[in-house]
Amino acid sequence: MMSFEYFIGGRYLRAKQKETFISFITMLSIAGVTVGVMALIVVIAVMAGFESDLKNRILGIESHVVIMRHVGPFSDYHKILSRVVNTKGVEAATPFIYTQIMLRSSSGVSGAVLRGIDPESAGRVIKVLDNSALLKIKKMHQGKATGSVPGVILGKELARNLGLGVGDVVYLISSRGMISPMGYLPAMKRFQVAGLFESGMYEYDGSLVYIHFRDAQKILHLEDSVTGIEVRVNDIYNARHISDKIIADVGFPYWARDWMQMNHNLFSALKLEKTVMFIILALIVLVAAFNIASTLIMMVMGKTKDIAILKAMGAMDGSIRKIFIFKGMVIGFMGTTLGVCLGFIMCKLLEKYKFIELPGDVYYISTLPVRLEALDVFIIAVAAMVICFIATLYPARQASKLNPVEAIRYG
């Protein structure tokens, strides 16, 4: 059977005609909690969507783990590569060469980051690269395509800045040239654009250049050496553990970094922004909690005689506190439930219809990404209920401290 505290608390929720003002304040309290919870869910879901989308774009062009040597390029990469591939949890691995170069076209000159890749295995690690472009680079390196000019893959923004398209010719200029009687001459080689890629990140699309790693070795005079090995793992959140296993296997002087270490500052900033937004928007729920406290305080003042009679009949202080805490928690629960439902509906509408557009020249995406996570919703709901519970403590305590004799005499 329902205890008398909950029965009386339920009766107090159904205000009488003379208590219309208190009922109105109660509705405002429920609405305040609803708006606060809904805003929290929508904003946190959008920020989680931004983080997830950004992570997917970064991991589409970067590997999960990078293995390099302390003293620079190394030539025994075939042996290291075979040991890396046989490590449990590794999906694929590929050698790479990394350096900075200059690009020159008929339209201009631009600095760029050169990455020499193995077309045979790069597609399994770097997902943003198109397989047809990788195949074309391989054929052009082998001289099977028309002409003997090697191929290059450019980011779309870099190609646009240089006025290049697929099939156009571009010159790669490296600082690792040679000394001649005329002085130091930088290395320069002619390439043909085999394809373009678009990651959605301007930093990558405006600076990255991919060529066959054998061509990169010739330009940089590396013979049969590479800068490092890129690794893709099955579980991205287990990348650090896998990288530690790889280094334990290959030993010094090799070292490894996982994707979380390479992008630590970026994801730390996103996490901090998410936390700050949670705190700021939780103030909306806090304001609603003050309304709950006000409602209960006015109800305590209006129910002085009722409380006195209950205490005279033997009700303990704890029972009186429970009555008003119960009413405040019902208000908080109703507001939280409505807020969760409306927040879920808003997130689904944003995800399906994408009616909020973002300027493409400012953001790397055109619509708001939404990622609703169950843990975020749970934390928001619990936080809202805790705030509402704290708001009920003072009015409930004041109600329990009433002296029944004085309340009946002067009430």
Side-chain angles (χ1 to χ4, degrees):
M1 294 179 64
M2 181 186 296
S3 65
F4 81 92
E5 295 99 334
Y6 299 142
F7 174 76
I8 295 174
R11 288 291 299 271
Y12 283 173
L13 282 168
R14 299 186 290 272
K16 298 178 182 177
Q17 186 68 31
K18 63 180 180 180
E19 298 171 342
T20 304
F21 181 70
I22 296 178
S23 178
F24 177 71
I25 298 297
T26 302
M27 295 303 296
L28 285 181
S29 303
I30 295 174
V33 175
T34 300
V35 171
V37 171
M38 181 186 69
L40 265 170
I41 288 176
V42 173
V43 171
I44 296 301
V46 169
M47 296 193 73
F50 266 111
E51 184 178 354
S52 176
D53 187 75
L54 186 62
K55 180 180 66 180
N56 292 334
R57 290 174 186 268
I58 289 175
L59 294 182
I61 201 164
E62 287 188 3
S63 58
H64 299 158
V65 177
V66 174
I67 301 168
M68 300 179 75
R69 200 166 185 258
H70 283 290
V71 293
F74 54 96
S75 58
D76 57 342
Y77 65 92
H78 296 287
K79 181 180 69 175
I80 303 297
L81 195 61
S82 63
R83 296 173 74 172
V84 169
V85 171
N86 292 326
T87 303
K88 185 178 180 181
V90 173
E91 184 179 317
T94 184
F96 75 95
I97 293 172
Y98 177 91
T99 190
Q100 292 182 330
I101 58 162
M102 293 287 291
L103 290 178
R104 183 173 67 84
S105 68
S106 58
S107 301
V109 179
S110 177
V113 175
L114 175 69
R115 294 183 76 92
I117 58 173
D118 181 8
E120 295 283 353
S121 55
R124 296 193 295 271
V125 177
I126 307 170
K127 297 300 182 180
V128 76
L129 296 179
D130 185 64
N131 288 329
S132 60
L134 291 172
L135 181 62
K136 195 171 181 181
I137 280 186
K138 179 182 176 182
K139 288 183 177 180
M140 293 173 79
H141 171 75
Q142 295 172 343
K144 294 180 180 179
T146 305
S148 58
V149 179
V152 61
I153 301 176
L154 304 177
K156 282 194 173 181
E157 288 294 329
L158 181 59
R160 184 177 63 84
N161 293 337
L162 292 173
L164 296 171
V166 176
D168 293 339
V169 172
V170 63
Y171 290 90
L172 270 67
I173 306 170
S174 171
S175 59
R176 293 195 179 185
M178 57 186 298
I179 299 176
S180 69
M182 300 178 61
Y184 182 80
L185 296 176
M188 184 168 68
K189 190 171 180 63
R190 184 169 172 249
F191 283 80
Q192 185 177 7
V193 180
L196 305 175
F197 74 87
E198 184 177 15
S199 67
M201 300 284 289
Y202 184 84
E203 180 182 354
Y204 297 128
D205 296 344
S207 62
L208 280 181
V209 176
Y210 292 95
I211 64 173
H212 199 290
F213 79 109
R214 296 296 183 189
D215 295 323
Q217 287 173 342
K218 290 179 182 178
I219 294 175
L220 302 174
H221 307 292
L222 292 178
E223 297 180 353
D224 192 29
S225 298
V226 297
T227 303
I229 294 173
E230 292 184 302
V231 182
R232 191 171 190 87
V233 300
N234 295 324
D235 182 7
I236 61 174
Y237 299 105
N238 199 31
R240 183 167 301 180
H241 176 66
I242 294 173
S243 68
D244 291 340
K245 286 200 301 182
I246 292 172
I247 295 305
D249 182 31
V250 300
F252 186 83
Y254 296 96
W255 61 277
R257 294 182 70 189
D258 63 271
W259 65 274
M260 285 182 282
Q261 291 173 314
M262 290 185 284
N263 300 282
H264 176 73
N265 291 340
L266 176 61
F267 289 109
S268 294
L270 289 174
K271 185 177 181 180
L272 179 61
E273 288 178 4
K274 189 175 179 181
T275 303
V276 171
M277 289 303 299
F278 179 90
I279 295 172
I280 292 172
L281 291 175
L283 294 177
I284 301 176
V285 181
L286 188 61
V287 171
F290 280 117
N291 285 339
I292 294 175
S294 302
T295 303
L296 294 179
I297 289 171
M298 286 189 291
M299 179 154 287
V300 169
M301 295 171 63
K303 301 293 183 180
T304 301
K305 282 188 177 181
D306 293 3
I307 297 170
I309 293 171
L310 287 172
K311 295 190 77 172
M313 293 173 64
M316 305 296 291
D317 290 352
S319 298
I320 302 300
R321 284 196 298 268
K322 190 182 292 186
I323 291 171
F324 290 95
I325 289 175
F326 171 72
K327 179 181 179 181
M329 292 304 291
V330 169
I331 295 172
F333 178 77
M334 291 174 63
T336 301
T337 303
L338 286 172
V340 169
C341 294
L342 291 176
F344 180 80
I345 293 171
M346 283 292 295
C347 288
K348 288 300 178 183
L349 290 174
L350 284 171
E351 188 177 4
K352 183 176 181 180
Y353 295 105
K354 302 185 183 300
F355 47 81
I356 297 180
E357 296 185 357
L358 302 176
D361 56 340
V362 177
Y363 300 95
Y364 68 92
I365 52 177
S366 57
T367 56
L368 285 177
V370 178
R371 181 182 175 87
L372 190 62
E373 298 180 353
L375 180 60
D376 290 338
V377 175
F378 176 76
I379 292 174
I380 291 169
V382 170
M385 291 300 294
V386 168
I387 292 173
C388 293
F389 172 73
I390 293 173
T392 65
L393 295 181
Y394 176 75
R397 181 173 175 272
Q398 292 300 109
S400 66
K401 289 171 62 178
L402 282 176
N403 189 318
V405 175
E406 293 184 0
I408 293 175
R409 180 183 299 172
Y410 300 110

